Amino acid sequence: MKLLARALPLTAAVATAVAVGDDDALANDAFRVVVPLAPTLDGGFAPRAVRSLSRDGSTVVLAAVPTAAGADPASVGTFRFRLGAPPQLVAVAPDFVGAALDATGSGMVGQGTSGGTRYLSRWDADTGETRSPMRGVGTAISSDGTTVVGNAVGVPGTSPQATAPVRWVRGGAPEILLDPGPVDSARADAVSSDGSVVVGTIDDYEDLFSVNGSSGFHWEAPGTLTTIDTGAGFTYVHDVSADGRWVVGASAAPGSSAATPFLWSPDSGFASVALPADWLSAEFTEVSDSGIIAAGAFSDDTGVSKPFVWSASSGALPLFGDAFGLVDPAPARPLAVTGMSGEGFALVVRDVGTVAIGDVANWLVQIAPRVPVAISGSACTASMPNSTGAPGVCTAHGSAVASYQSVELRARALPPGEIGLFLIGTERSSSPLGSGTLCLGGELGRVLNSLVQVSPGGQLRRRINAGSLPLASGARPVEAGETLYFQAWHGVAGDG
């Protein structure tokens, strides 16, 4: 191409991973998309409820119902659905029912049933199910996959309907974290990324049938227990940050249907969470790995619950509507957030009402970061100054999960009015090209439709199609774990 032969200063960035260090990503020029999670399933099943999203945002646990006439409705299928790949049938109830995934979606926790009795169980993509001798159900698994938590039943000294929180480290035996006593009940709701912190809720029963109130708990290995009590009467815990330092949930007064979300840390107590004045009730159900972004559901005078996202800088924002520019996929339906990726930019939204078989009831909502992203390093040494007096800068924005189709290339500090484009390479290299340096090697290509004029502000922006990389040998999708290199070129049209 003629323009390439007259190359001017070049800049480059490696597009492999996203690592945003603050919550400014909720600002208004974030990339946004709502994707229905309604894959075609094998074995005579139809999607019903997404129960969990892996922290890397790549995989969901999908509960499915049988569609054949006369089929047992209790024969729920558990599918592991890696986005962009065919769903995998893990098991059919009562054999195993999955509840939550580890960080990469390769491990799962849930329950297995034998002789009508449920047992705390875990499942691994390589080894299949491992069933513990502990009666109960699994609720959460650590990001590293080493630790699962759940709720044990039939613990000696407790009432027949009571549960007790249990922690099960790989290679060891399940351990009861606290004894709820002869009347009360307790449950584990979430676990930190390394399994060292478990959080949950303790219900205070007046008798076997009447609940006086509830409080949360924060358990840290080897056995430090801290009570979380908002003072409202009922405190419910739902999730914990990766380091175990931030806990989210909701509180409510006795007899009230209105809930208030909370963010709590053992170091600083409760953080302030401001809500719009017209919200009648709200609760947090998910928190990001860093603890700076939380999500949940709210309701106003319409009486229909809807998802929202919160950060300290942006406050509480409805996920659908003007704040994010996203259209509600089911305006008349009650929706809740049932999963969040580690960085907080991917959410699973689920219809929590009665859903007919075949209706779409789950959506993936992706909000890519707005701020310049720390991608993992530069592919070039510092570029030469251009006619603006400064070197150009190239960055990539979006999610490392290719199926989200959210990666956008951006170049800035370029001479306004020049012609620019983005190049792609499968390897890193360094060779002279014109008055600059080509930093790309391996198989090369040009990002389609990226030959445009630099804006008056000195910028170029172009979204890439991760499903069709324009390489010399032909278009192909991004491969799992692949590192790609991108470079911005700019010059004067027709010059040379």
Side-chain angles (χ1 to χ4, degrees):
M1 180 178 179
K2 183 178 180 181
L3 286 176
L4 188 57
R6 183 66 177 86
L8 290 176
L10 298 157
T11 59
V14 183
T16 55
V18 173
V20 176
D22 59 46
D23 59 1
D24 198 29
L26 299 185
N28 283 336
D29 65 344
F31 172 76
R32 312 171 186 100
V33 64
V34 179
V35 180
L37 293 174
T40 300
L41 303 179
D42 294 333
F45 288 95
R48 172 54 59 88
V50 171
R51 290 179 169 151
S52 174
L53 174 69
S54 61
R55 298 306 270 183
D56 68 359
S58 70
T59 310
V60 298
V61 176
L62 181 62
V65 294
T67 57
D72 183 357
S75 298
V76 175
T78 292
F79 284 80
R80 184 176 66 135
F81 179 25
R82 286 192 179 276
L83 306 179
Q88 173 192 3
L89 178 60
V90 171
V92 177
D95 290 341
F96 178 81
V97 177
L101 291 162
D102 63 12
T104 63
S106 59
M108 189 183 309
V109 66
Q111 66 186 54
T113 302
S114 297
T117 300
R118 297 179 299 175
Y119 294 90
L120 173 65
S121 297
R122 63 190 307 156
W123 178 91
D124 184 87
D126 296 325
T127 60
E129 182 191 354
T130 302
R131 189 169 297 177
S132 82
M134 182 73 71
R135 292 173 53 198
V137 299
T139 55
I141 182 171
S142 59
S143 290
D144 63 11
T146 62
T147 307
V148 300
V149 299
N151 306 316
V153 297
V155 177
T158 64
S159 62
Q161 80 273 25
T163 60
V166 59
R167 174 175 177 259
W168 182 22
V169 179
R170 188 191 302 274
E175 60 174 327
I176 301 296
L177 299 184
L178 64 91
D179 183 354
V183 177
D184 297 340
S185 185
R187 60 185 180 272
D189 295 290
V191 61
S192 64
S193 63
D194 64 358
S196 63
V197 173
V198 180
V199 298
T201 303
I202 304 172
D203 292 322
D204 175 20
Y205 279 81
E206 180 177 354
D207 52 42
L208 294 180
F209 308 101
S210 302
V211 182
N212 284 329
S214 64
S215 60
F217 72 85
H218 179 280
W219 182 96
E220 186 167 6
T224 302
L225 185 67
T226 304
T227 299
I228 306 171
D229 192 349
T230 61
F234 290 87
T235 300
Y236 302 105
V237 166
H238 294 309
D239 200 11
V240 65
S241 61
D243 63 3
R245 309 319 292 170
W246 290 103
V247 180
V248 298
S251 63
S256 174
S257 61
T260 302
F262 72 79
L263 178 69
W264 176 90
S265 167
D267 304 315
S268 55
F270 291 96
S272 175
V273 179
L275 300 175
D278 60 341
W279 289 13
L280 302 181
S281 180
E283 65 175 333
F284 285 143
T285 54
E286 306 288 336
V287 68
S288 65
D289 281 350
S290 64
I292 60 176
I293 299 175
F298 77 95
S299 61
D300 52 20
D301 56 7
T302 65
V304 180
S305 65
K306 292 296 177 182
F308 76 99
V309 180
W310 175 93
S311 73
S313 64
S314 301
L317 301 172
L319 190 57
F320 302 122
D322 295 339
F324 286 100
L326 290 170
V327 176
D328 190 336
R333 304 294 301 167
L335 306 180
V337 178
T338 59
M340 173 184 275
S341 61
E343 81 278 11
F345 301 130
L347 307 171
V348 168
V349 173
R350 173 178 145 195
D351 187 330
V352 293
T354 302
V355 180
I357 293 178
D359 287 352
V360 177
N362 307 275
W363 297 265
L364 179 72
V365 181
Q366 170 70 13
I367 308 172
R370 177 187 75 86
V371 296
V373 173
I375 304 271
S376 75
S378 174
C380 279
T381 55
S383 58
M384 298 170 55
N386 54 46
S387 59
T388 68
V393 177
C394 180
T395 57
H397 299 241
S399 171
V401 180
S403 59
Y404 290 165
Q405 293 284 19
S406 65
V407 175
E408 182 181 70
L409 303 175
R410 300 183 189 180
R412 66 179 189 276
L414 307 183
E418 290 193 356
I419 298 298
L421 56 83
F422 291 101
L423 307 175
I424 180 175
T426 57
E427 297 178 7
R428 182 183 302 193
S429 184
S430 179
S431 59
L433 181 62
S435 58
T437 301
L438 178 65
C439 300
L440 307 180
E443 191 174 9
L444 303 178
R446 189 192 85 187
V447 176
L448 298 179
N449 302 316
S450 68
L451 182 62
V452 294
Q453 190 173 46
V454 177
S455 73
Q459 297 186 23
L460 289 175
R461 299 172 67 155
R462 182 61 55 190
R463 184 78 47 75
I464 68 169
N465 181 359
S468 182
L469 298 176
L471 296 171
S473 63
R476 66 165 178 82
V478 174
E479 297 177 358
E482 181 178 22
T483 297
L484 298 170
Y485 302 88
F486 297 91
Q487 189 163 10
W489 174 91
H490 59 93
V492 178
D495 184 7

